[in-house]
Amino acid sequence: MVSTIFLLDKEISKEDLMKRLRLTAYVLKKITPEQFDILKIWLKNIMKPRLDDESKVKVEEILEKSSQGEVDSMVSNLGKTIDNIIKEGRKEGEKEGKKAGLLQGLEKLLDIKFSDISYMSRIERIEDENTLNSVFEDAVKSNSIEEFKEKLRQRKLN
């Protein structure tokens, strides 16, 4: 069992982790029930601090419901959960990247067009992507910084 823990307790890619979990499934079927319980506790302690609350609950459920006879199912379910966590993280990262790019472009536009980026701190607080896109369009269409600021006032962003 110790070798199984050492095999899994390394900083590796998700794909490598899944391969290693599948490899250990054979070993896990042969350990004692007490050792299996210890391994489940170890897995929880390793995975949970690295997960958001929703993912923690999913991993906890998978590990709590699993028994030695269900090792293959546990490995498969953990794999699916890890895949979903990665997909959600990528979506969130893409969303944040879009916002950062839009803000960077808007700041550059305001600087080049009006030599005034004084409203950027207010604009950076905008969470809604559609509103941010509209503010960008307002900056493009405005002929002066005063006109742009008036459009922000109309949007109640001043």
Side-chain angles (χ1 to χ4, degrees):
M1 185 174 98
V2 172
S3 61
T4 301
I5 289 174
F6 283 129
L7 182 66
L8 296 173
D9 193 19
K10 295 190 184 287
E11 192 169 320
I12 54 176
S13 70
K14 176 204 64 124
E15 292 81 15
D16 285 341
L17 175 62
M18 292 313 303
K19 285 178 192 172
R20 289 178 184 194
L21 278 170
R22 286 186 192 101
L23 283 173
T24 60
Y26 175 76
V27 174
L28 296 178
K29 291 176 186 176
K30 305 236 181 269
I31 62 177
T32 67
E34 294 81 17
Q35 289 173 321
F36 188 74
D37 289 339
I38 291 169
L39 180 69
K40 288 193 315 186
I41 292 167
W42 175 81
L43 280 170
K44 282 186 224 175
N45 290 336
I46 292 300
M47 295 181 83
K48 285 174 63 176
R50 294 164 175 81
L51 303 172
D52 60 57
D53 290 338
E54 185 181 333
S55 300
K56 284 178 186 178
V57 171
K58 289 177 186 174
V59 168
E60 181 90 26
E61 280 179 17
I62 291 168
L63 292 173
E64 285 302 317
K65 290 179 181 177
S66 63
S67 66
Q68 259 184 299
E70 302 169 326
V71 168
D72 291 327
S73 176
M74 178 188 81
V75 169
S76 175
N77 289 338
L78 279 174
K80 289 174 188 173
T81 300
I82 291 169
D83 285 342
N84 289 336
I85 291 166
I86 290 169
K87 284 178 190 173
E88 289 171 19
R90 283 186 182 142
K91 283 181 187 176
E92 187 64 30
E94 286 173 10
K95 185 177 177 182
E96 289 175 14
K98 281 182 183 179
K99 180 181 178 185
L102 193 55
L103 286 170
Q104 188 177 18
L106 183 55
E107 184 173 14
K108 188 82 165 166
L109 174 66
L110 292 173
D111 189 34
I112 291 170
K113 193 170 183 179
F114 306 122
S115 299
D116 185 346
I117 59 168
S118 61
Y119 271 64
M120 281 306 298
S121 61
R122 294 179 189 122
I123 294 168
E124 287 170 347
R125 288 182 249 154
I126 299 170
E127 293 296 323
D128 182 65
E129 189 177 336
N130 292 329
T131 303
L132 200 52
N133 279 318
S134 295
V135 168
F136 188 87
E137 288 177 20
D138 289 345
V140 169
K141 293 176 183 176
S142 295
N143 293 314
S144 68
I145 191 66
E146 289 75 23
E147 182 182 345
F148 176 68
K149 289 178 181 180
E150 179 56 33
K151 289 178 181 180
L152 288 179
R153 276 190 279 283
Q154 290 171 357
R155 292 183 185 280
K156 297 181 174 52
L157 297 173
N158 57 340

